[in-house]
């Protein structure tokens, strides 16, 4: 949920009201936790936790180039300031050469209290990444690209669909539910489909019709 709670409190309140439809909510204060604790984010996070929603702290990994200590420092601030219990590691590498880095990063994150590690390469990575992440985002992009995306590689069939996530933006009004059903058919039980466009399409939750017990409607 990439919008400030003081700017659109209703969007955050809607998430709390529909906690049963959420896999989790990603907190992204300022491309990470920011430099100081933000009271309105802390209040929104508290309400979501009270509703039983799992919270993920956002951290950019810069495709394996960002030092591990900086990423972990972001996750610790998310944990201490907003009570996150998982992490969303964005701009993750997909090639096998970075596997060791991400395995170490995931181990350290779990040691710091991150119970669920989500990696977002946005494409299908080397199969070994399944040993680093609890959930892999294997698609992130717009609706047109999603409709024309190739079939998942065969190795994904060896894992339960709860291990995979698809993030789709720019979905025409009324078709977000179709996008979610498509994700399930493609082996991804976690998904988020929104009509938003532009630099930040994740500023609003998806329509309720697109939500379901196994979907991530809080990205």
């Amino acid at each position: 949920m990439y919008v400030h709670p003081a700017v659109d409190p209703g969007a955050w309140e809607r998430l709390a009201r529909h906690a049963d439809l959420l896999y989790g909510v990603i907190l992204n204060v300022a491309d990470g936790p920011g430099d100081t604790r933000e009271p309105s984010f802390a209040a929104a996070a508290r309400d979501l936790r009270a509703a039983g929603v799992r919270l993920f702290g956002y951290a950019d990994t810069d495709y394996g180039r960002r030092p591990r200590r900086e990423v972990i420092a972001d996750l610790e601030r998310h944990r201490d300031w907003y009570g996150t219990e998982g992490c969303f590691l964005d701009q993750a590498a997909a090639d096998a050469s970075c596997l060791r880095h991400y395995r170490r990063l995931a181990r350290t994150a779990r040691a710091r209290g991150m119970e669920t590690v989500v990696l977002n390469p946005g494409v299908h990575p080397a199969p070994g990444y399944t040993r680093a992440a609890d959930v892999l985002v294997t698609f992130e992009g717009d609706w047109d690209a999603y409709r024309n995306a190739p079939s998942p590689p065969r190795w994904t069939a060896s894992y339960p669909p709860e291990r995979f996530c698809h993030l789709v933006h720019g979905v025409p009004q009324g078709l977000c539910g179709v996008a979610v059903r498509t994700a399930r058919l493609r082996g991804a039980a976690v998904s988020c489909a929104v009509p938003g466009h532009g630099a930040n399409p994740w500023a609003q939750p998806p329509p309720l019709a697109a939500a379901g017990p196994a979907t991530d409607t809080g990205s």
Side-chain angles (χ1 to χ4, degrees):
M1 190 64 200
Y2 297 176
V3 66
H4 201 290
V7 173
D8 190 356
W12 290 84
E13 292 165 2
R14 183 179 174 212
L15 292 176
R17 288 198 304 271
H18 300 286
D20 59 316
L21 302 179
L22 304 178
Y23 180 85
V25 172
I26 301 165
L27 302 183
N28 188 3
V29 180
D31 290 330
D35 296 325
T36 60
R37 181 179 180 273
E38 174 60 54
S40 57
F41 264 97
R46 182 179 62 246
D47 291 344
L48 288 172
R49 290 197 311 274
V53 177
R54 176 169 34 189
L55 299 181
F56 296 85
Y58 175 97
D60 182 6
T61 69
D62 194 21
Y63 304 102
R65 293 185 291 264
R66 192 172 181 218
R68 182 165 55 103
R69 65 181 180 279
E70 292 183 10
V71 176
I72 295 301
D74 277 358
L75 301 182
E76 289 176 333
R77 285 193 287 269
H78 276 300
R79 179 199 64 199
D80 296 343
W81 294 344
Y82 307 114
T84 55
E85 58 193 270
C87 60
F88 183 84
L89 303 177
D90 200 16
Q91 299 200 113
D95 56 285
S97 64
C98 291
L99 264 171
R100 184 180 179 209
H101 170 77
Y102 280 95
R103 286 175 184 167
R104 291 182 65 199
L105 183 56
R107 284 197 301 269
T108 307
R110 292 186 179 100
R112 299 295 192 276
M114 303 296 108
E115 297 176 2
T116 305
V117 175
V118 180
L119 284 182
N120 180 23
V123 297
H124 285 94
Y129 280 90
T130 56
R131 295 196 294 274
D134 300 292
V135 179
L136 283 173
V137 178
T138 54
F139 180 89
E140 181 177 7
D142 65 25
W143 172 242
D144 288 337
Y146 194 54
R147 288 189 302 161
N148 298 306
S151 299
R154 290 182 179 179
W155 63 261
T156 61
S158 300
Y159 297 89
E162 290 76 18
R163 298 290 303 278
F164 301 103
C165 172
H166 292 173
L167 304 176
V168 190
H169 55 77
V171 183
Q173 291 287 349
L175 293 184
C176 288
V178 173
V180 168
R181 291 192 292 275
T182 300
R184 291 173 179 157
L185 289 172
R186 293 178 179 175
V190 185
S191 64
C192 183
V194 297
H197 292 274
N200 180 19
W202 314 111
Q204 285 288 332
L208 289 178
T215 65
D216 174 0
T217 63
S219 299

